[in-house]
Amino acid sequence: MATEETSSSIPPSLPITSSGYMEGHASNRPPYFNGLDYGYWKKRMAFYLKFVDFEIWELVQDGYIEPSTDRKEWSAVDKIKATLDAKGVTLIFCALSLEEFNKVSTCKAAREVWTTLETTHEGTTQVKKSKVNMLISDFEAFEMHEGESISNMFTRFTNIVNELNALGKTYKL
């Protein structure tokens, strides 16, 4: 007699998305973002977009401006760029929870979606500078806590370095 697979057979440590599927590290779907751990998602999503098509990533980084001419007059290159930007928007939208999607649903280009998410979760340039300064202070004053294992200490240290990296300030380990 075959047993039916239920959600109770899924270990509790694995996150479940609103669709009921476990969020995984599969190359055929983008990393899921529910509003938590933006720096982690941003890094994974950037690599996912590069993996799918590096030109999509370039449009996310550089932006896409739709030609001002009638669409019937667009060149083949214009159509390819429009398609790549639409793919970028779609890939990012597919990675978002409903709550996160609602924050960017009116965006028209992949770059606009990306920068809206950045501003929402990292803050403005001034907020980023404040976060960087606070993390630099944590970095410079870093020390092992009493009774802390080396593994836990290294994890705390790596988290500080990774958060700084996500905000554009890099340190080599």
Side-chain angles (χ1 to χ4, degrees):
M1 181 171 169
T3 347
E4 192 173 312
E5 182 93 13
T6 65
S7 62
S8 62
S9 65
I10 297 170
S13 62
L14 296 175
I16 306 281
T17 66
S18 61
S19 65
Y21 295 104
M22 283 189 303
E23 193 274 314
H25 300 272
S27 63
N28 63 340
R29 69 174 184 236
Y32 182 72
F33 182 56
N34 63 0
L36 302 173
D37 297 322
Y38 176 74
Y40 170 67
W41 175 83
K42 178 182 174 182
K43 187 78 156 181
R44 288 181 61 212
M45 191 63 188
F47 276 99
Y48 182 78
L49 292 170
K50 292 173 193 176
F51 162 74
V52 171
D53 190 323
F54 199 82
E55 290 183 39
I56 291 173
W57 176 245
E58 287 178 333
L59 286 171
V60 168
Q61 289 296 286
D62 302 334
Y64 167 73
I65 299 170
E66 189 173 297
S68 58
T69 59
D70 187 72
R71 287 188 182 156
K72 292 175 187 169
E73 298 172 19
W74 285 9
S75 70
V77 171
D78 291 336
K79 290 176 184 177
I80 289 169
K81 284 188 177 186
T83 300
L84 288 172
D85 191 66
K87 285 180 182 180
V89 171
T90 301
L91 289 169
I92 298 170
F93 279 179
C94 287
L96 303 177
S97 68
L98 178 60
E99 192 172 311
E100 292 302 313
F101 171 79
N102 286 336
K103 294 173 184 173
V104 294
S105 63
T106 59
C107 296
K108 304 235 184 301
R111 175 76 183 148
E112 184 184 5
V113 175
W114 192 261
T115 56
T116 300
L117 288 168
E118 274 184 331
T119 302
T120 301
H121 294 283
E122 291 179 347
T124 62
T125 304
Q126 188 61 34
V127 171
K128 283 183 192 180
K129 284 181 184 177
S130 295
K131 287 180 182 179
V132 166
N133 288 336
M134 186 177 67
L135 289 165
I136 288 172
S137 176
D138 291 346
F139 179 87
E140 291 173 349
F142 189 84
E143 60 182 37
M144 187 173 193
H145 294 152
E146 189 174 323
E148 183 177 35
S149 72
I150 291 184
S151 176
N152 286 345
M153 179 196 73
F154 184 73
T155 299
R156 272 190 321 108
F157 183 75
T158 304
N159 286 341
I160 292 169
V161 172
N162 287 341
E163 287 181 53
L164 281 165
N165 190 359
L167 292 169
K169 179 74 174 168
T170 57
Y171 285 98
K172 304 261 189 229
L173 290 179

